[in-house]
Amino acid sequence: MHDPDILKMNEELARKFGKIEADIVDCRGVGELFERLLSESGEAFGIPFVWLSVLRNPETKLLLRIMNDSEILRNRLNVIEPSSFLDVCPDGPCSVIASGDLRPFFRLMPPNVKYFIRSLAVAPLALPGRLIGSLNHGDASPERYRPGMGTDLLDHLAATVSGRLSDLLPPEENGAAGQEGRKGSAPCPGVP
Protein backbone atom coordinates (compact mmCIF):
# COMPACT_ATOMS: atom_id res chain seq x y z
CA MET A 1 0.00 0.00 0.00
CA HIS A 2 2.98 2.35 0.45
CA ASP A 3 4.07 2.85 -3.13
CA PRO A 4 7.47 4.65 -2.99
CA ASP A 5 6.45 6.98 -5.84
CA ILE A 6 3.28 8.06 -4.00
CA LEU A 7 5.23 8.62 -0.79
CA LYS A 8 7.81 10.68 -2.66
CA MET A 9 5.07 12.75 -4.34
CA ASN A 10 3.35 13.34 -0.99
CA GLU A 11 6.62 14.41 0.61
CA GLU A 12 7.22 16.87 -2.24
CA LEU A 13 3.67 18.25 -1.90
CA ALA A 14 4.16 18.65 1.85
CA ARG A 15 7.47 20.44 1.26
CA LYS A 16 5.88 22.90 -1.19
CA PHE A 17 2.94 23.60 1.10
CA GLY A 18 5.34 24.05 4.03
CA LYS A 19 7.38 26.61 2.08
CA ILE A 20 4.29 28.62 1.18
CA GLU A 21 3.13 28.56 4.81
CA ALA A 22 6.56 29.67 6.06
CA ASP A 23 6.62 32.52 3.55
CA ILE A 24 3.16 33.85 4.41
CA VAL A 25 3.91 33.79 8.14
CA ASP A 26 6.57 36.45 7.42
CA CYS A 27 4.07 38.81 5.71
CA ARG A 28 3.58 42.17 7.41
CA GLY A 29 0.31 43.18 5.78
CA VAL A 30 -2.93 41.68 4.46
CA GLY A 31 -2.22 42.73 0.87
CA GLU A 32 1.25 41.21 0.96
CA LEU A 33 -0.16 38.02 2.52
CA PHE A 34 -2.66 37.44 -0.27
CA GLU A 35 -0.38 38.58 -3.10
CA ARG A 36 2.30 36.15 -1.94
CA LEU A 37 -0.24 33.35 -1.38
CA LEU A 38 -1.69 33.63 -4.87
CA SER A 39 1.62 33.91 -6.70
CA GLU A 40 3.42 31.20 -4.73
CA SER A 41 0.51 28.73 -4.94
CA GLY A 42 0.35 29.14 -8.70
CA GLU A 43 4.11 28.87 -9.18
CA ALA A 44 4.79 26.02 -6.74
CA PHE A 45 2.13 23.72 -8.17
CA GLY A 46 1.78 24.98 -11.75
CA ILE A 47 -1.83 26.00 -11.15
CA PRO A 48 -3.12 28.18 -14.01
CA PHE A 49 -6.03 29.74 -12.10
CA VAL A 50 -5.63 30.89 -8.49
CA TRP A 51 -7.98 33.49 -7.01
CA LEU A 52 -9.84 34.54 -3.88
CA SER A 53 -13.56 34.63 -3.24
CA VAL A 54 -14.65 36.93 -0.41
CA LEU A 55 -18.10 37.03 1.13
CA ARG A 56 -19.99 40.29 0.77
CA ASN A 57 -20.88 41.25 4.34
CA PRO A 58 -20.06 43.98 6.88
CA GLU A 59 -17.22 41.93 8.42
CA THR A 60 -15.27 41.87 5.15
CA LYS A 61 -15.47 45.59 4.25
CA LEU A 62 -11.92 46.37 5.42
CA LEU A 63 -10.56 43.21 3.82
CA LEU A 64 -12.20 44.06 0.50
CA ARG A 65 -10.90 47.62 0.66
CA ILE A 66 -7.34 46.35 1.21
CA MET A 67 -7.66 43.86 -1.63
CA ASN A 68 -9.08 46.44 -4.02
CA ASP A 69 -6.08 48.68 -3.30
CA SER A 70 -3.84 46.04 -4.91
CA GLU A 71 -4.10 45.68 -8.67
CA ILE A 72 -2.82 42.10 -8.38
CA LEU A 73 -5.55 41.17 -5.91
CA ARG A 74 -8.30 43.22 -7.53
CA ASN A 75 -7.81 41.21 -10.73
CA ARG A 76 -7.95 37.90 -8.84
CA LEU A 77 -10.86 38.62 -6.54
CA ASN A 78 -14.44 37.48 -6.72
CA VAL A 79 -16.98 38.92 -4.25
CA ILE A 80 -19.83 36.54 -3.48
CA GLU A 81 -23.00 36.60 -1.42
CA PRO A 82 -22.77 34.44 1.74
CA SER A 83 -25.81 32.36 0.78
CA SER A 84 -24.31 31.58 -2.65
CA PHE A 85 -21.03 30.57 -1.05
CA LEU A 86 -22.76 28.24 1.39
CA ASP A 87 -24.69 26.63 -1.48
CA VAL A 88 -21.43 25.33 -2.97
CA CYS A 89 -19.37 25.00 0.24
CA PRO A 90 -21.84 23.78 2.85
CA ASP A 91 -19.25 22.04 5.04
CA GLY A 92 -17.80 25.22 6.54
CA PRO A 93 -14.03 25.16 6.90
CA CYS A 94 -13.52 21.90 4.96
CA SER A 95 -12.08 22.11 1.46
CA VAL A 96 -14.21 21.10 -1.51
CA ILE A 97 -12.91 19.33 -4.61
CA ALA A 98 -14.97 19.28 -7.81
CA SER A 99 -14.61 18.34 -11.46
CA GLY A 100 -16.90 17.75 -14.40
CA ASP A 101 -20.02 19.90 -14.29
CA LEU A 102 -18.83 22.98 -12.42
CA ARG A 103 -21.86 25.17 -13.14
CA PRO A 104 -22.83 25.32 -9.44
CA PHE A 105 -19.35 26.73 -8.74
CA PHE A 106 -19.48 29.44 -11.43
CA ARG A 107 -20.49 32.03 -8.83
CA LEU A 108 -17.12 31.44 -7.09
CA MET A 109 -15.17 32.05 -10.29
CA PRO A 110 -14.02 35.28 -11.89
CA PRO A 111 -16.25 35.80 -14.96
CA ASN A 112 -13.38 35.91 -17.46
CA VAL A 113 -12.12 32.37 -16.65
CA LYS A 114 -15.09 30.30 -15.53
CA TYR A 115 -15.57 28.55 -18.87
CA PHE A 116 -11.92 27.41 -18.97
CA ILE A 117 -11.91 25.70 -15.57
CA ARG A 118 -12.73 21.97 -15.57
CA SER A 119 -11.64 21.04 -12.03
CA LEU A 120 -11.51 23.02 -8.83
CA ALA A 121 -10.20 22.99 -5.25
CA VAL A 122 -11.88 25.44 -2.84
CA ALA A 123 -10.25 26.06 0.55
CA PRO A 124 -12.50 28.12 2.86
CA LEU A 125 -10.89 30.93 4.84
CA ALA A 126 -12.18 32.03 8.22
CA LEU A 127 -11.72 34.50 11.00
CA PRO A 128 -12.65 33.36 14.50
CA GLY A 129 -16.24 32.19 14.40
CA ARG A 130 -17.09 32.93 10.77
CA LEU A 131 -16.27 32.13 7.17
CA ILE A 132 -15.01 35.05 5.09
CA GLY A 133 -14.34 33.42 1.72
CA SER A 134 -11.99 30.98 0.03
CA LEU A 135 -8.70 30.37 -1.71
CA ASN A 136 -9.51 28.74 -5.05
CA HIS A 137 -7.36 26.64 -7.38
CA GLY A 138 -8.66 25.85 -10.84
CA ASP A 139 -7.35 23.90 -13.79
CA ALA A 140 -8.43 23.29 -17.38
CA SER A 141 -7.86 19.55 -16.86
CA PRO A 142 -10.82 17.69 -15.33
CA GLU A 143 -8.27 15.25 -13.86
CA ARG A 144 -6.29 17.79 -11.79
CA TYR A 145 -8.78 17.88 -8.91
CA ARG A 146 -11.06 14.89 -8.44
CA PRO A 147 -13.63 14.21 -5.71
CA GLY A 148 -12.12 11.87 -3.16
CA MET A 149 -8.67 13.45 -3.23
CA GLY A 150 -7.18 14.23 0.15
CA THR A 151 -7.36 17.83 1.26
CA ASP A 152 -5.32 17.75 4.47
CA LEU A 153 -2.51 19.96 3.14
CA LEU A 154 -4.92 22.40 1.54
CA ASP A 155 -6.97 22.58 4.74
CA HIS A 156 -3.78 23.20 6.74
CA LEU A 157 -2.72 25.99 4.36
CA ALA A 158 -6.17 27.61 4.68
CA ALA A 159 -5.91 27.41 8.49
CA THR A 160 -2.46 29.01 8.37
CA VAL A 161 -3.71 31.80 6.09
CA SER A 162 -6.74 32.34 8.33
CA GLY A 163 -4.56 32.48 11.43
CA ARG A 164 -2.13 34.93 9.86
CA LEU A 165 -5.02 37.07 8.60
CA SER A 166 -6.43 37.14 12.11
CA ASP A 167 -3.03 38.33 13.37
CA LEU A 168 -2.78 41.09 10.74
CA LEU A 169 -6.28 42.57 10.95
CA PRO A 170 -7.19 44.93 13.80
CA PRO A 171 -8.96 43.03 16.63
CA GLU A 172 -12.27 44.77 15.98
CA GLU A 173 -12.18 43.52 12.35
CA ASN A 174 -11.26 39.91 13.01
CA GLY A 175 -13.50 39.14 15.96
CA ALA A 176 -10.48 38.02 17.96
CA ALA A 177 -10.02 40.81 20.48
CA GLY A 178 -7.48 39.48 22.91
CA GLN A 179 -7.15 36.15 21.07
CA GLU A 180 -4.13 34.85 19.25
CA GLY A 181 -4.58 33.74 15.61
CA ARG A 182 -5.45 30.09 14.94
CA LYS A 183 -2.59 27.68 14.63
CA GLY A 184 -2.94 24.66 12.35
CA SER A 185 -1.82 21.10 12.83
CA ALA A 186 1.21 19.49 11.20
CA PRO A 187 0.96 19.07 7.42
CA CYS A 188 -0.03 15.72 5.95
CA PRO A 189 -0.54 14.57 2.34
CA GLY A 190 -3.25 16.31 0.30
CA VAL A 191 -3.86 18.06 -3.00
CA PRO A 192 -1.98 20.97 -4.56
Side-chain angles (χ1 to χ4, degrees), residues 108-178:
L108 282 179
M109 300 178 193
N112 58 334
V113 299
K114 66 183 172 186
Y115 298 108
F116 298 106
I117 297 172
R118 298 289 179 252
S119 63
L120 178 68
V122 179
L125 301 173
L127 288 173
R130 67 189 185 282
L131 288 172
I132 58 161
S134 59
L135 167 65
N136 309 290
H137 295 167
D139 200 287
S141 168
E143 299 301 313
R144 176 71 181 260
Y145 302 108
R146 297 175 314 280
M149 291 179 83
T151 61
D152 293 347
L153 288 170
L154 190 57
D155 290 338
H156 190 270
L157 176 62
T160 301
V161 171
S162 296
R164 188 67 187 128
L165 183 59
S166 181
D167 292 341
L168 292 171
L169 285 172
E172 63 275 8
E173 295 294 331
N174 69 29

Side-chain angles (χ1 to χ4, degrees), residues 5 14 35 43 50 67 73 84 88 94 104 120 128 141-142 145 154:
D5 291 336
E35 286 175 2
E43 288 173 22
V50 183
M67 292 175 150
L73 296 177
S84 294
V88 294
C94 297
L120 178 68
S141 168
Y145 302 108
L154 190 57

